[in-house]
Amino acid sequence: MNNDLSHLFSPFKIRDLEIPNRCVMPPMGCHLENKDASVSDANIAYISRQASGGIGLVITEIAAVHETGAIGMGVYDDRFVPGLTRMARAIHDGGAKAALQLHHAGRETYPGLKKGYALGPSALPSLVYGMAPKEMSLDEIRMIVESFGKAAVRAVDAGFDAVEIHGAHGYLLTQFMSAISNQRKDGYGGDFKSRARFVFEVVQEVRKSVGKNFPVLLRISAEEYIRNGYTVEDVQTILPDLVQAGVDVFHASVGTHGSPGGVTSAPPEFEQGWNVWRAKKCKEVVDVPVIAVGRFNDPRVADKFIAQGDADMIAFGRQQLADPDFLNKAKAGQYDQIRNCIACNQGCIERLMYEPGSSVRCAINPETGQELLYPRTPAKTKKKVWVIGAGPAGLTAAQEAARLGHDVSLFEKEDTAGGQILYASKAPSKQIYGDWIRWQIKQVEQMGVTIQTSTTITPEKLENANVDAVILAAGGDKIIPTIPGLDESIVCTAWQILGETVKPEKNVLVVGGGLIGMETADFLIDKGSKVTLVEMLPKSPVPNYTSHGYMLHKRLKQAECRFRFNSRLDSVGKNAVTLLVDGKPETLTDIHQVVLAVGMKPRAELKEYLANKKIEHYVVGDAQTVRRIIEATDEGAKAAWSL
Ligand SMILES: Cc1cc2nc3c(=O)[nH]c(=O)nc-3n(C[C@H](O)[C@H](O)[C@H](O)COP(=O)(O)OP(=O)(O)OC[C@H]3O[C@@H](n4cnc5c(N)ncnc54)[C@H](O)[C@@H]3O)c2cc1C
Ligand SMILES: Cc1cc2nc3c(=O)[nH]c(=O)nc-3n(C[C@H](O)[C@H](O)[C@H](O)COP(=O)(O)O)c2cc1C
């Protein structure tokens, strides 16, 4: 790939504001704020880290302009100014310019609402939370418009260099723009332009409040990305007038939280820069700069879009969370050192949306969101540590323990490190998981830790090891049920299929509709098999509201994968199986392969030994309870931090 970064790293000006380069950290709510919505020490630690890795412009997370729309940090009162001043200073100290994102969540406020009701253009339920807001009166509309202006003044007072009005993703401004949420009969409803009136008023108010020269950005979802939603062509009709109203820069995002598949923070199925064409469409109708966003990992790819003139600046969201230093690494030509975001959404957007009370993390970077916990100096006492198992948990533990100065030995019973990720990365669109685990392996090796593969640790080996501590990251074992006929030659496991030690056959029955079963079905279909998937629950345990789950369900449905719910495998015969469907037997013939994917259980063998011997030890990841990558990496890191 062409390593030219000259376009991306060229300075940029918005009005009189000089930005060192074209790289933007887009707003990312992190829920690290204090309970009273003010800026916390954790916020400062997080934003300092994010601002110091080479990014040119940091746009903060949402800051609520009014209490009725608050779902995180606030800017709706003067009491927030001291904290926000610290935040702006922290961004400047990192070398970046700072913009505050001004926000009102409208009907999406319900989860954060302490009292009263949420406000919205019409009393139509949120696509995310299902609850309807109160239709805003004209007085309430005026009140919120004015609150954007007052909030912008507080941003100026706090020392921010710019403000960004949040007009995207299905929050209040988008709710007005969208015919799905705005069915008003007054001057704020009607055709697209009339529905956008509220946005115009907010922009005008902010411009009036901050004066002529202060940079004002407007973030919009350039397309609503939902059936009967507004289009990019609709948006083009209002952009020139929005420039007249006071917008200096458009930030062209896409979709709402109600859009299918979480496209706003798109999964790996979407390639880097997939959304740039919408930024380009915006540029066609206005002369002001446009920021493009969407799945950017690689600064070289971003540079290309700037060079082509498709966008003026590029926002890197989740990539910043995965590796806040990635731009400096790219500048130094150290591409192989960059920890690339895998777009899993597990620690970031989906954690915030679906795990109430949680704050931002990154599934593959345990520092993110935990900057105050993250140890930065070597451990006081150097320990001899054995890490057992080189999956995500063990690799993270080994890297962190070595970074903190311990003497680390890492053991893996298989001939290749990587654990379950070696299988997880085989499903369509998940090769990126394999790239990550190979990067992780290299990082461990760079720390001077030799991964001793093909080495199974047993109690006997531990007996003579003379270690100070053990991190047990041995993962889980597949469950093999006891069902008549499982010794038939047509039976194999998901791991044999994904590990490609058994060839897929034509008509395949996959037993188990969890993630492993569904991904194995996806893999088999990709290889040309016809798949029936048997699941004893009444519906799939893989939720389709997560971006990964949505894409997986969609692909299997399109490929006509046959789901049999409320069904369990009763017996296997020669090219036939018997199921119990709602308790009644049913025979399926012409089955060429039966693939077992009925779950995993933690590997327990060494736990008891370590406890009995009173050796300092930590059981992490799937070895503790079978879960996900984020728990494995987090527990692996924390074990190392505790040594
Ligand atoms: C097909 C598939 C798809 C998946 N998809 C996802 C996904 O999309 N998102 C997600 O979050 N999770 C996913 N998972 C689950 C995820 O891979 C696991 O939760 C994660 O790998 C757990 O990490 P771990 O390090 O705890 O265990 P493992 O990855 O299981 O690693 C444990 C390692 O320990 C080794 N070991 C065991 N005993 C010993 C011993 N005595 N001595 C030496 N070595 C030993 C094992 O060989 C193994 O390499 C998927 C799993 C599979 C199988
Ligand atoms: C954890 C998280 C929080 C987010 N919070 C906000 C937010 O506060 N305001 C906003 O406009 N967009 C928010 N977004 C969307 C991002 O700004 C960005 O548009 C999106 O993640 C796509 O960029 P990426 O593919 O580079 O991650 C958030 C995304 C994530 C992952």
Side-chain angles (χ1 to χ4, degrees):
M1 192 180 295
N2 184 350
N3 281 357
D4 183 9
L5 297 177
S6 61
H7 309 91
L8 190 66
F9 284 116
S10 63
F12 196 66
K13 245 180 136 177
I14 305 173
R15 291 191 178 254
D16 293 336
L17 177 65
E18 293 190 15
I19 302 171
N21 56 49
R22 314 287 189 107
C23 308
V24 178
M25 174 169 162
M28 282 183 286
C30 55
H31 279 319
L32 291 169
E33 70 279 354
N34 291 319
K35 277 209 170 72
D36 66 358
S38 62
V39 171
S40 68
D41 291 345
N43 275 128
I44 298 297
Y46 160 83
I47 209 81
S48 298
R49 187 70 187 86
Q50 293 294 330
S52 62
I55 198 88
L57 173 66
V58 171
I59 309 175
T60 70
E61 64 191 278
I62 44 171
V65 300
H66 196 273
E67 213 169 355
T68 53
I71 54 170
M73 208 168 79
V75 58
Y76 50 83
D77 190 282
D78 290 345
R79 74 179 163 89
F80 295 115
V81 174
L84 292 169
T85 306
R86 277 181 79 202
M87 185 172 265
R89 205 176 296 136
I91 296 170
H92 291 152
D93 288 349
K97 300 295 179 192
L100 185 74
Q101 193 182 46
L102 307 178
H103 180 247
H104 191 293
R107 66 181 186 174
E108 310 296 5
T109 311
Y110 273 115
L113 207 61
K114 294 195 181 66
K115 55 179 192 280
Y117 39 78
L119 297 177
S122 301
L124 295 163
S126 148
L127 298 179
V128 184
Y129 303 110
M131 294 197 286
K134 171 189 177 294
E135 177 170 316
M136 289 164 80
S137 66
L138 294 180
D139 283 346
E140 282 166 334
I141 288 179
R142 195 63 223 149
M143 173 181 82
I144 300 302
V145 167
E146 284 171 6
S147 70
F148 269 93
K150 288 178 193 157
V153 171
R154 290 186 192 106
V156 177
D157 292 346
F160 281 90
D161 305 295
V163 288
E164 178 176 271
I165 299 166
H166 195 346
H169 306 164
Y171 294 114
L172 187 61
L173 273 67
T174 330
Q175 287 160 32
F176 269 92
M177 283 195 276
S178 167
I180 297 164
S181 40
N182 180 356
Q183 292 174 8
R184 294 178 75 97
K185 302 283 176 256
D186 60 11
Y188 291 91
D191 64 10
F192 183 68
K193 228 168 184 165
S194 308
R195 296 199 305 272
R197 174 176 164 189
F198 180 72
V199 181
F200 277 94
E201 290 186 2
V202 167
V203 170
Q204 282 160 346
E205 186 73 17
V206 168
R207 172 55 69 209
K208 191 177 85 190
S209 307
V210 296
K212 221 169 73 199
N213 255 330
F214 193 78
V216 174
L217 289 68
L218 175 64
R219 194 165 217 213
I220 38 164
S221 290
E223 182 187 335
E224 205 178 342
Y225 210 93
I226 199 162
R227 199 180 301 138
N228 302 323
Y230 66 75
T231 63
V232 69
E233 286 75 24
D234 290 329
V235 167
Q236 282 183 315
T237 64
I238 60 168
L239 296 186
D241 290 342
L242 281 167
V243 174
Q244 290 307 312
V247 173
D248 293 316
V249 176
F250 289 103
H251 189 168
S253 189
V254 64
T256 74
H257 293 309
S259 301
V263 287
T264 295
S265 298
E269 283 80 355
F270 293 76
E271 62 183 13
Q272 288 195 59
W274 74 280
N275 183 40
V276 175
W277 72 270
R278 294 185 183 85
K280 198 175 167 197
K281 281 275 193 187
C282 295
K283 276 182 74 66
E284 278 172 17
V285 295
V286 290
D287 285 331
V288 298
V290 177
I291 304 171
V293 65
R295 271 283 282 123
F296 281 106
N297 271 3
D298 191 330
R300 293 168 292 192
V301 176
D303 190 89
K304 193 187 75 189
F305 286 110
I306 305 263
Q308 283 169 197
D310 293 351
D312 301 282
M313 300 183 91
I314 299 287
F316 299 88
R318 290 164 293 168
Q319 179 55 37
Q320 273 280 137
L321 304 180
D323 187 350
D325 296 323
F326 79 104
L327 288 168
N328 280 344
K329 289 177 184 171
K331 246 196 241 176
Q334 298 168 339
Y335 290 100
D336 58 346
Q337 296 301 314
I338 295 176
R339 182 195 268 123
N340 281 317
C341 167
I342 59 173
C344 67
N345 286 343
Q346 204 171 79
C348 55
I349 193 71
E350 288 174 3
R351 183 175 151 93
L352 297 187
M353 287 182 70
Y354 305 123
E355 297 174 38
S358 62
S359 52
V360 76
R361 295 282 177 81
C362 171
I364 59 170
N365 179 3
E367 182 184 0
T368 295
Q370 309 196 89
E371 290 77 8
L372 290 178
L373 279 184
Y374 186 77
R376 289 172 206 284
T377 49
K380 286 203 182 77
T381 316
K382 179 174 172 168
K383 290 186 178 171
K384 182 177 173 191
V385 185
W386 272 22
V387 180
I388 304 174
L395 287 164
T396 310
Q399 182 183 2
E400 285 298 293
R403 182 181 68 80
L404 296 173
H406 297 292
D407 170 10
V408 181
S409 301
L410 173 58
F411 303 95
E412 170 53 54
K413 73 178 171 61
E414 302 298 332
D415 59 8
T416 312
Q420 297 297 312
I421 303 306
L422 300 177
Y423 303 95
S425 58
K426 289 295 179 66
S429 296
K430 287 184 76 181
Q431 294 84 347
I432 196 170
Y433 285 56
D435 297 342
W436 161 61
I437 209 71
R438 282 186 289 278
W439 177 91
Q440 185 61 69
I441 291 166
K442 266 208 192 132
Q443 292 295 307
V444 169
E445 289 169 346
Q446 261 175 232
M447 284 283 172
V449 178
T450 308
I451 307 176
Q452 301 183 42
T453 50
S454 306
T455 308
T456 303
I457 296 305
T458 57
E460 294 72 41
K461 283 193 178 137
L462 277 168
E463 193 72 45
N464 304 315
N466 214 7
V467 290
D468 298 313
V470 171
I471 299 177
L472 182 59
D477 247 337
K478 48 190 157 299
I479 296 170
I480 304 292
T482 41
I483 293 171
L486 288 194
D487 52 352
E488 289 287 344
S489 62
I490 62 167
V491 179
C492 65
T493 67
W495 289 264
Q496 287 173 302
I497 291 290
L498 293 170
E500 298 184 78
T501 55
V502 170
K503 247 180 59 219
E505 298 293 341
K506 192 159 160 250
N507 286 345
V508 186
L509 183 88
V510 174
V511 186
L515 185 65
I516 297 174
M518 280 186 71
E519 293 208 330
T520 307
D522 200 15
F523 175 88
L524 285 162
I525 287 164
D526 198 47
K527 299 280 178 217
S529 303
K530 279 192 81 63
V531 177
T532 302
L533 204 140
V534 183
E535 167 56 47
M536 63 185 195
L537 296 173
K539 66 177 196 154
S540 168
V542 177
N544 68 0
Y545 53 78
T546 66
S547 50
H548 179 52
Y550 175 83
M551 300 306 296
L552 192 53
H553 276 278
K554 186 173 159 192
R555 265 198 302 277
L556 295 193
K557 200 169 159 202
Q558 275 170 353
E560 295 178 356
C561 173
R562 223 171 138 217
F563 284 90
R564 304 300 307 264
F565 294 117
N566 289 318
S567 304
R568 47 169 85 223
L569 181 64
D570 191 49
S571 65
V572 181
K574 296 254 173 290
N575 287 355
V577 297
T578 304
L579 307 180
L580 283 180
V581 182
D582 291 324
K584 293 191 196 92
E586 185 182 318
T587 298
L588 304 184
T589 53
D590 205 22
I591 296 290
H592 307 139
Q593 194 163 45
V594 175
V595 180
L596 302 177
V598 297
M600 298 185 73
K601 57 179 189 303
R603 281 205 178 89
E605 303 98 79
L606 294 172
K607 287 184 201 173
E608 213 176 310
Y609 172 84
L610 290 165
N612 287 343
K613 291 283 176 182
K614 299 200 167 32
I615 296 172
E616 177 185 345
H617 71 281
Y618 306 84
V619 183
V620 296
D622 281 6
Q624 191 197 102
T625 314
V626 173
R627 285 154 299 160
R628 304 173 298 174
I629 292 167
I630 189 168
E631 286 82 17
T633 55
D634 190 55
E635 289 166 9
K638 284 190 177 139
W641 301 347
S642 310
L643 288 166

